């Protein structure tokens, strides 16, 4: 088969790779029908995630069809259309028993496109399939469902829930890329008084308004002053960091009110300064996190009911073998206006997948 292979910082290619096979009795092999690119994939290509070894197929989000399962898999069977979660869960370790699947110590966690071959390929092996794939209702299109593999649960769990958004809050979202927009959409479920979006790109600020932001401000046009003006000088109750650079994190800590919450979602490749000389007295809570995806079943039900604006996030679609072009469009979002790109192939006959 073919997959998109990481060969080191700045080097990647769509090329032939070995077909996946069931290795363990809890595995499933999935034929990829829709896949997307994450900001984390861009961080990998920049060299910010050194755990990814050259030769690894990238990607950790997909929708596809089950073509083979191991002998211990009980919840799905060949022919099922499924969502492949960005997080794999063994289901037995301490963290999985606490629904903290992102911290799995039994061989799961974020492994697809990280420590094992990922989803940006024609086929993918998914470990621990019973907890790591979700059967999809026919009412949810594949290109919409793929957004529930990572960005919506990440924004909801690591941003909105960790930030403890409550009715009447002022919520500031720093970064109006896909994660930031999903955070805006899911924060609205808790009826905040206002949501303020901060970004450098005018196109993304316009998108933030469409997703429900009440006010938008360019990152270089005094966002601290706007937030202060809107809150009688207090600052935001919740600030969600959705960029992953030192400047955005430090902006979050300057705009949160005493007693407020900073929820860091962004993937940071460089150190950021934590100004404890200012923060120690302010009773501020700062959270970090890798998504656990415990909310995925809930979000799937909401998507099926039309409660999530998934379709609005998809700005570009490509055939699966146009991976390099899709990466280029996604990486140059400020120029292309890309939010999420989705790749998929037209239906084709299944090919044999060799057994373990």
């Amino acid at each position: 088969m073919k997959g998109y292979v990481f060969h080191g910082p700045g080097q990647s290619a769509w090329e032939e790779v070995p077909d996946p096979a069931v290795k363990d009795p809890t595995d499933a092999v999935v034929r990829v029908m829709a896949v997307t690119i994450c900001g984390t994939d861009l961080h990998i290509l920049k060299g910010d995630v050194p755990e990814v070894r050259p030769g690894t197929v990238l990607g950790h989000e997909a929708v596809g069809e089950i073509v083979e399962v191991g002998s211990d898999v009980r919840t799905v069977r060949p022919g099922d259309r499924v969502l492949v979660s960005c997080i794999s869960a063994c289901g037995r370790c301490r963290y999985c028993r606490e629904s903290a699947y992102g911290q799995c110590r039994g061989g799961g966690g974020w492994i697809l496109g990280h420590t094992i071959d990922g989803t940006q390929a024609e086929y993918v092996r998914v470990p621990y399939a019973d907890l790591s794939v979700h059967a999809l209702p026919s009412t949810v299109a594949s290109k919409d469902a793929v957004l529930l593999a990572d960005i919506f649960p990440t924004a909801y769990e690591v941003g909105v829930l960790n930030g403890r958004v409550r009715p009447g809050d002022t919520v500031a979202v720093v970064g109006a890329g896909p994660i930031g927009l999903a955070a805006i959409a899911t924060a609205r479920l808790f009826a905040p008084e206002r949501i303020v979006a901060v970004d450098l790109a005018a196109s993304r600020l316009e998108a933030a308004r469409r997703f429900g932001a009440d006010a938008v401000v360019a990152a270089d046009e005094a966002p601290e002053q706007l937030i202060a003006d809107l809150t009688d000088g207090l600052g935001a109750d919740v600030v969600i960091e959705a960029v992953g650079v030192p400047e955005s994190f430090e902006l979050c800590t300057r705009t949160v009110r005493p007693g407020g919450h900073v929820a860091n979602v962004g993937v940071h490749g460089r150190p950021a300064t934590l100004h404890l000389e200012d923060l120690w007295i302010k009773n501020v809570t700062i959270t970090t996190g890798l998504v656990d995806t415990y909310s995925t079943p809930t979000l799937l039900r909401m998507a099926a009911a039309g409660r999530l604006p998934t379709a609005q996030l998809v700005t570009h679609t490509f055939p699966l073998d146009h991976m390099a072009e899709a990466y280029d469009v996604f990486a140059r979002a400020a120029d292309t206006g890309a939010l999420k790109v989705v790749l998929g192939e037209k239906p084709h006959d299944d090919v044999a997948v060799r057994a373990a």
Side-chain angles (χ1 to χ4, degrees):
M1 69 167 189
K2 287 192 174 182
Y4 198 66
V5 181
F6 172 71
H7 289 294
Q11 302 176 62
S12 55
W14 177 258
E15 60 189 48
E16 289 192 1
V17 293
D19 294 339
V22 168
K23 294 182 179 179
D24 298 310
T26 55
D27 288 351
V29 174
V30 177
R31 177 175 66 83
V32 174
M33 300 165 65
V35 68
T36 185
I37 301 170
C38 180
T40 305
D41 296 321
L42 298 183
H43 281 281
I44 292 171
L45 288 176
K46 290 177 183 176
D48 292 343
V49 189
E51 300 85 6
V52 182
R53 300 184 304 273
T56 301
V57 175
L58 295 179
H60 50 266
E61 309 158 85
V63 167
E65 180 185 353
I66 300 284
V67 295
E68 186 179 1
V69 296
S71 59
D72 287 352
V73 176
R74 297 289 181 266
T75 60
V76 292
R77 60 186 180 180
D80 287 348
R81 189 174 65 111
V82 297
L83 172 68
V84 178
S85 175
C86 66
I87 298 296
S88 303
C90 79
R92 297 185 299 272
C93 71
R94 170 182 174 177
Y95 288 104
C96 284
R97 290 170 69 88
E98 296 173 355
S99 298
Y101 307 124
Q103 302 302 321
C104 175
R105 290 298 182 267
W110 173 35
I111 56 175
L112 291 172
H114 183 205
T115 58
I116 68 172
D117 285 337
T119 59
Q120 291 171 4
E122 294 175 317
Y123 292 82
V124 59
R125 178 180 73 92
V126 183
Y128 306 117
D130 278 334
L131 284 174
S132 306
V133 302
H134 302 268
L136 287 173
S138 59
T139 54
V140 181
S142 295
K143 70 180 181 66
D144 297 333
V146 74
L147 302 185
L148 302 180
D150 185 351
I151 66 163
F152 268 94
T154 294
Y156 182 56
E157 295 175 18
V158 185
V160 174
L161 297 184
N162 279 3
R164 299 187 182 180
V165 175
R166 296 179 300 180
D169 277 353
T170 292
V171 179
V173 179
V174 178
I179 289 287
L181 296 175
I184 291 169
T186 51
R188 284 176 56 83
L189 300 173
F190 292 84
E193 179 181 358
R194 64 176 67 87
I195 299 175
V196 182
V198 182
D199 202 283
L200 282 169
S203 61
R204 292 198 162 184
L205 293 177
E206 292 173 9
R209 284 198 182 276
R210 295 197 301 272
F211 275 75
D214 302 286
V216 300
V217 59
D220 55 1
E221 293 183 359
E224 294 169 73
Q225 187 60 55
L226 174 64
I227 293 169
D229 290 344
L230 291 172
T231 59
D232 295 325
L234 280 180
D237 301 284
V238 181
V239 187
I240 298 173
E241 198 284 335
V243 182
V245 298
E247 295 80 5
S248 60
F249 175 78
E250 293 170 31
L251 173 63
C252 291
T253 62
R254 293 196 302 271
T255 53
V256 67
R257 70 164 173 83
H261 289 77
V262 174
N264 183 88
V265 187
V267 177
H268 289 264
R270 292 181 288 139
T273 301
L274 181 62
H275 288 283
L276 285 176
E277 73 278 11
D278 298 323
L279 294 170
W280 73 271
I281 202 171
K282 294 179 67 176
N283 293 19
V284 170
T285 299
I286 299 174
T287 57
T288 65
L290 174 66
V291 66
D292 293 311
T293 66
Y294 63 82
S295 68
T296 301
T298 298
L299 294 171
L300 272 172
R301 291 195 301 272
M302 294 177 66
R307 301 287 185 176
L308 294 178
T310 50
Q312 297 178 42
L313 269 172
V314 179
T315 54
H316 296 74
T317 58
F318 299 88
L320 189 60
D321 59 358
H322 286 216
M323 196 69 68
E325 180 184 356
Y327 261 90
D328 177 64
V329 168
F330 185 62
R332 295 187 300 107
D335 299 323
T336 64
L339 294 176
K340 288 298 283 185
V341 300
V342 173
L343 302 96
E345 288 192 329
K346 295 179 180 179
H348 55 77
D349 293 336
D350 289 343
V351 299
V353 180
R354 67 175 184 272

